[in-house]
Amino acid sequence: MGTPEFPNLGQHCSVGDCRQIDFLPFTCDRCDHVFCLQHRSYISHQCPNANVKDVTVLVCPLCAKGVRLNPNEDPNITWDSHVNTDCDPSNYQKVTKKKKCPVPGCRETLTFSNTIRCKDCTKEHCLKHRFGPDHKCPGPRKMDSSFSFSNMLRKSQKAETRSNSSKNTSSWWSSSLLSAASNFKTSAEAGMQKLSTATSQAFQKAKDGISPDSSSSSGDLVEQCIHCPARFSTVGTLIEHVEKSHQTNSQSSRGRVTVDVCPKCHKAFRDPVLLVEHVERDHGGSSRA
């Protein structure tokens, strides 16, 4: 077999009835035997290991998971091992249940190609109900109206503490904003304290029963409003004036939220200190647009 130049050239076919010399033989990747062109397939030489690399998967009716059958193992043993260790019936609904459009009366199944997420209510809808009026979108979430002035001051104090403890030096623009926020906080606290003191004193005088005659008899009992230049002869008149003219304004201003806007990216912040940190972190300390 072969030639003097190539002594190993060519091999006999492994099939007993063939034994043909093939100079380009084929080696079976399952049984590692050599075959000729005619007997190279698994069926033609009846390969005993033809099903070694076959993949057979059964879907479990209890958990909807795929169970791969091992060719060298009894299928019953493989199935019992899955049921006792890996089977989870609660997974069946997660796999088989298909997501549908939440609009009442619409039973469209949501797939990758027909699903749209609303940017306002963040819910997924079909293409037919992708617009807000079609699925009765409630709109974007409103700003929380319970934001109190005291919480804003508390956050400002914490931000100031963090800024003072940091070792990085701030620019002139950031330091000026910090001083403005501090002055605003101080003036607001002084105004609230002054209003509370004046109101308590006025109510205390009214409770003590100071009469209009006694107030007119002494020159130092002429009452003046702390909010406007108006003057009154009695404490009761001053209290009525404050309740009617200034108390509603103070309550409305107390619930109002002041928002500062970044001059470069137009992003809004409730706390001026957070605005300063945003400019230093995202814009390099420059406020020019």
Side-chain angles (χ1 to χ4, degrees):
M1 186 173 58
T3 62
E5 292 81 5
F6 302 97
N8 296 326
L9 181 62
Q11 296 185 31
H12 289 280
C13 179
S14 298
V15 178
D17 296 338
C18 180
R19 303 300 297 175
Q20 180 182 355
I21 296 177
D22 197 325
F23 293 99
L24 294 175
F26 297 89
T27 302
C28 179
D29 59 348
R30 304 296 173 85
C31 61
D32 295 331
H33 291 170
V34 179
F35 299 95
C36 62
L37 178 64
Q38 181 181 358
H39 299 100
R40 70 182 188 277
S41 63
Y42 300 143
I43 298 176
S44 60
H45 68 267
Q46 297 180 357
C47 183
N49 301 327
N51 62 344
V52 172
K53 295 185 179 180
D54 291 345
V55 178
T56 303
V57 178
L58 299 179
V59 179
C60 178
L62 300 178
C63 63
K65 290 183 179 180
V67 180
R68 181 176 178 178
L69 300 181
N70 190 358
N72 298 326
E73 187 179 23
D74 187 3
N76 295 325
I77 298 177
T78 305
W79 187 261
D80 291 340
S81 176
H82 164 71
V83 172
N84 296 329
T85 59
D86 195 27
C87 187
D88 185 10
S90 62
N91 187 57
Y92 185 82
Q93 291 185 352
K94 297 179 183 179
V95 175
T96 59
K97 186 177 180 181
K98 298 181 179 179
K99 188 182 295 185
K100 297 182 180 296
C101 182
V103 176
C106 181
R107 305 304 300 169
E108 183 73 17
T109 302
L110 298 180
T111 59
F112 177 77
S113 60
N114 71 336
T115 302
I116 298 294
R117 181 181 295 274
C118 180
K119 63 180 180 180
D120 294 331
C121 62
T122 66
K123 292 183 179 180
E124 294 182 347
H125 302 84
C126 63
L127 295 178
K128 183 180 179 181
H129 301 99
R130 63 185 182 274
F131 298 110
D134 296 334
H135 63 265
K136 298 181 181 180
C137 181
R141 295 182 60 184
K142 297 180 180 179
M143 185 179 295
D144 190 7
S145 59
S146 62
F147 182 78
S148 59
F149 184 74
S150 60
N151 291 336
M152 184 177 66
L153 293 179
R154 192 177 300 109
K155 290 182 179 179
S156 178
Q157 291 176 355
K158 291 181 179 179
E160 287 182 0
T161 304
R162 291 196 302 268
S163 63
N164 293 332
S165 61
S166 63
K167 296 181 180 179
N168 298 328
T169 59
S170 59
S171 62
W172 174 86
W173 185 80
S174 60
S175 61
S176 62
L177 272 183
L178 285 174
S179 61
S182 178
N183 294 335
F184 172 74
K185 181 190 68 173
T186 305
S187 60
E189 290 179 349
M192 295 293 293
Q193 184 66 25
K194 186 176 180 181
L195 177 61
S196 176
T197 304
T199 305
S200 61
Q201 289 178 357
F203 276 100
Q204 184 63 32
K205 289 182 180 179
K207 185 177 179 180
D208 294 339
I210 299 178
S211 60
D213 296 335
S214 60
S215 61
S216 61
S217 60
S218 57
D220 57 347
L221 293 181
V222 178
E223 303 294 338
Q224 180 180 358
C225 180
I226 62 174
H227 302 284
C228 62
R231 292 177 176 272
F232 302 92
S233 59
T234 62
V235 178
T237 309
L238 173 61
I239 295 174
E240 292 178 357
H241 167 72
V242 172
E243 291 178 348
K244 293 180 180 179
S245 303
H246 303 295
Q247 188 172 3
T248 304
N249 296 333
S250 63
Q251 291 178 355
S252 61
S253 63
R254 208 175 302 165
R256 193 180 300 116
V257 178
T258 303
V259 178
D260 296 320
V261 180
C262 177
K264 193 165 186 178
C265 63
H266 303 287
K267 188 175 181 181
F269 297 87
R270 292 181 176 179
D271 194 346
V273 178
L274 296 180
L275 172 60
V276 175
E277 294 179 354
H278 162 70
V279 172
E280 292 180 348
R281 182 181 63 254
D282 297 336
H283 305 300
S286 176
S287 62
R288 296 182 181 179

